[in-house]
Amino acid sequence: MTTYSGPGYLCQVNKRSHHTEQNGEDRLIVRRGQPFSLVLHLKAGSPEFNPEETSFTLIVETGTVHCESDTKVSFGLKDSTDDKEWSASASKAPGNTVALNISSSPEAPIGLYSLSLLQQGQSTSLGAFVLLFNAWCPRDAVYMRSETKRQEYVLSQHGLLYRGSATRIHHKPWNFSQFEPGILDICLKILDEGLNVVSDTDQDCSERRSPVYITRVLSAMINSNDNEGVLVGEWAEFEDGVHPSTWIGSGDILRQWADSGPVCYGQCWVFAAVDCTVSRALGIPCRVVTNFSSAHDGNGNLLIEKMYDEDGERLEDPDSVWNFHVWVESWMARPDLEQAGFDGWQVSDATPQETSEGVFCCGPVPVSAIREGELTKKFDAPFVFAEVNADVVEYVKLSTGDFVKFSGSTDSIGQNISTKAVGRDKRRDITHHYKYPEGSEEERRVFEKAQHRNKLQKKGKEPGLRIKIKLAKNMVVGSDFEVYAVLANNCMVAKSCSFMLYARAVRYNSTRGASCGFISDTVTVTPGEEKLLFLKLKYSDYGKVISPDRMIQLTAFVNDKENREYHKAEKLIVLDEPDLEVKLTGEARVGQPLTAELCLLNPLPEALQDCSFTLEGVGLTQEKPITIKYVSLQEAKASVQLSPREAGFTVLLVDFDSDKLKNIKNFIPMVVMSDALSPSLNTIAMT
């Protein structure tokens, strides 16, 4: 009998061929459906290995409970490996060694595996390895043809998240950090703590062969509403945690969760970014997507019904429209739908909004199903469809209790749906993936199909009162500026009306804050005449009530009580932020000092308190962010000396935070050259 003293895992060779070399740990991490190599060392005195005469069985196991042919598989040697199933081949190698090639099944559950060798009743442990999804394998459900897309959606550790409003889109840099040390183990821990593990451990482990299943588990586990998931959502009070706008990467969040449980706090872009990190770490191609003017359909009728009183004040209702909302798309086949045409990008959303099958999660649902109004397709198609294509209907509630419909829109929901372009730090508009052009016959056909009844078609302008809002050109946070509403009378008779212009702080999810400006007038508008109503917005008023989103909702409302005629216009202000300058001095080379110089001028007419710069970059900041703190300042300058530890492309992210000015970010890409010198510790110099 030939006996073995344990394998040489050839980690570096296997990692290069399996695209896992960025996982810096010295262990075997491979992708399914693709062979990997081991070297077995024969014990002294063992007979020489002869492939034609020597046989043994290999056993791979994952999870704690094993089902033969699924989570526990036994297989012998063949002349060559088979790319359809677990298989192995062996050959004599130089010295007292055996070269062993093992191919995993392209449908095997992902996760941590043990490997053992069984020969004549004697079992020898060959150690452990991690198996991931494989976007390079045509038989894998996550297979992606384009190498440039695989580089972007699986291997890239840097991304851009889009926020703001449909007319003022801002990008924010993010470090996904999926290959940072320890992150993969944390991602596997997330799977091990899902709700299904408790109810049926064996079934859960077996289901991990499906990216559809994994994606749905992550949607539930990235939030903590039903379990000890990663992030606690919060949209109002943040004193006992980290404000969501402060985060600049997923690594710190995931490490905190692994150490001490749910992390405070997250909002939609944070939930989505962490979800993207875990998906990419596990091998599922994933991207972050922002939907502007995103509907939250609380009663499931595909309509956003807004109610107002006779003074134009919004009444409470279950529906809302978020200024933007962020989710992820994951790339995979959908054999579970038993119908062609639904492979490709799938929407899932970890932000806890509504329950799905009793759990706060959403998706995955094919983007193509949303585009075609196929609302019976799993999972949560009606909710996602409404987010991008609901109709808006507006009513005034009279003192009698009656409701008067006065306005509506079929094209205001789902605008400028955005994601980062492949290989470039540019925005790509993918609205056309989700719906046909607004106003087209196809778009209305799809909506009617989804609604199961006819809807009102878009109407052209009719004679009557018209109202619109005009903004100032420069609206930097900290400044005072003036806005105004224009009321035009296109009727043949004069109109006497109440004319009101409101300003109110608002969060990105449309949650209304305190008022920061109001003016009203009773006007008579003759035929063809225009009336203007001016409102000065002062920092002394809005600075006390705006959120870190720096958003102000303007609403102009006209009430012609005599004719029971109501008109409204809305416009969202996203205040401009100050520039955060980031400059690099020195050569970006492994082990060599590189200085980042930071500068931010305070635009506010008051000093900032509790100020800090935070820097994070893969291979630049020793796995944890660097934070520089100040008590107060009018101008912030700092220099941070870095020692890059890895060659290749990376991105340095910088965040500025204070009591009154948050969510100021910038980034700078760089290519780090190789060098023989060893990296030193980061040092900080402040001015």
Side-chain angles (χ1 to χ4, degrees), residues 171-223:
H171 67 259
K172 297 294 180 185
W174 192 269
N175 267 338
F176 295 115
S177 306
Q178 68 266 31
F179 299 117
E180 283 283 292
I183 295 300
L184 178 56
D185 286 328
I186 296 172
C187 296
L188 295 175
K189 175 182 171 69
I190 290 172
L191 298 183
D192 288 341
E193 298 198 5
L195 292 176
N196 292 342
V197 175
V198 177
S199 60
D200 192 335
T201 302
D202 186 30
Q203 181 66 21
D204 169 77
C205 196
S206 175
E207 290 286 358
R208 294 185 191 183
R209 66 186 182 276
S210 166
V212 176
Y213 178 80
I214 293 291
T215 298
R216 191 154 174 82
V217 169
L218 295 183
S219 174
M221 278 298 298
I222 300 302
N223 71 74

Side-chain angles (χ1 to χ4, degrees), residues 56 142 144 171 223 227 233 242 258 290 424 488 596 606 615 656-657:
F56 52 76
V142 303
M144 185 171 263
H171 67 259
N223 71 74
N227 44 48
V242 175
T290 301
R424 297 181 299 146
E606 56 185 326
L615 299 87
F656 177 81
D657 190 54

Side-chain angles (χ1 to χ4, degrees), residues 14 43 118 124 135-136 160 200 236 326 356 425 446 449 490 502 522 543 583 622 628 677-678:
N14 286 315
K43 289 184 178 180
L118 183 64
T124 302
W136 287 261
L160 297 177
D200 192 335
V326 187
S356 173
D425 288 329
V446 168
K449 172 184 176 182
N490 298 326
Y502 301 84
T522 300
K583 296 181 180 179
Q622 308 299 332
I628 310 168
L677 297 178
S678 299

Side-chain angles (χ1 to χ4, degrees), residues 597-654:
E597 297 180 349
L598 316 175
C599 181
L600 181 136
L601 297 178
N602 176 18
L604 306 185
E606 56 185 326
L608 300 173
Q609 307 293 325
D610 301 324
C611 308
S612 65
F613 284 110
T614 300
L615 299 87
E616 181 178 316
V618 174
L620 297 174
T621 55
Q622 308 299 332
E623 301 175 17
K624 282 199 172 281
I626 298 172
T627 298
I628 310 168
K629 295 185 177 181
Y630 300 84
V631 176
S632 64
L633 56 82
Q634 280 293 343
E635 179 184 66
K637 289 185 176 181
S639 63
V640 181
Q641 192 174 83
L642 309 167
S643 274
R645 68 178 189 274
E646 297 176 7
F649 176 80
T650 189
V651 178
L652 178 67
L653 276 62
V654 182

Side-chain angles (χ1 to χ4, degrees), residues 555-631:
T555 303
F557 195 78
V558 174
N559 183 344
D560 178 2
K561 290 189 176 181
E562 181 179 351
N563 297 295
R564 294 180 66 174
E565 186 176 349
Y566 308 92
H567 300 274
K568 178 183 69 68
E570 288 184 334
K571 186 154 285 190
L572 179 68
I573 297 174
V574 182
L575 297 175
D576 292 333
E577 61 189 43
D579 291 331
L580 172 55
E581 296 183 8
V582 183
K583 296 181 180 179
L584 297 177
T585 59
E587 188 177 26
R589 187 173 291 276
V590 172
Q592 299 296 314
L594 176 68
T595 301
E597 297 180 349
L598 316 175
C599 181
L600 181 136
L601 297 178
N602 176 18
L604 306 185
E606 56 185 326
L608 300 173
Q609 307 293 325
D610 301 324
C611 308
S612 65
F613 284 110
T614 300
L615 299 87
E616 181 178 316
V618 174
L620 297 174
T621 55
Q622 308 299 332
E623 301 175 17
K624 282 199 172 281
I626 298 172
T627 298
I628 310 168
K629 295 185 177 181
Y630 300 84
V631 176

Side-chain angles (χ1 to χ4, degrees), residues 449-467:
K449 172 184 176 182
Q451 187 72 352
H452 296 295
R453 60 185 179 89
N454 291 329
K455 300 298 299 178
L456 294 175
Q457 301 296 311
K458 296 181 174 76
K459 295 182 179 180
K461 289 188 176 180
E462 298 176 352
L465 295 174
R466 291 288 175 262
I467 186 171

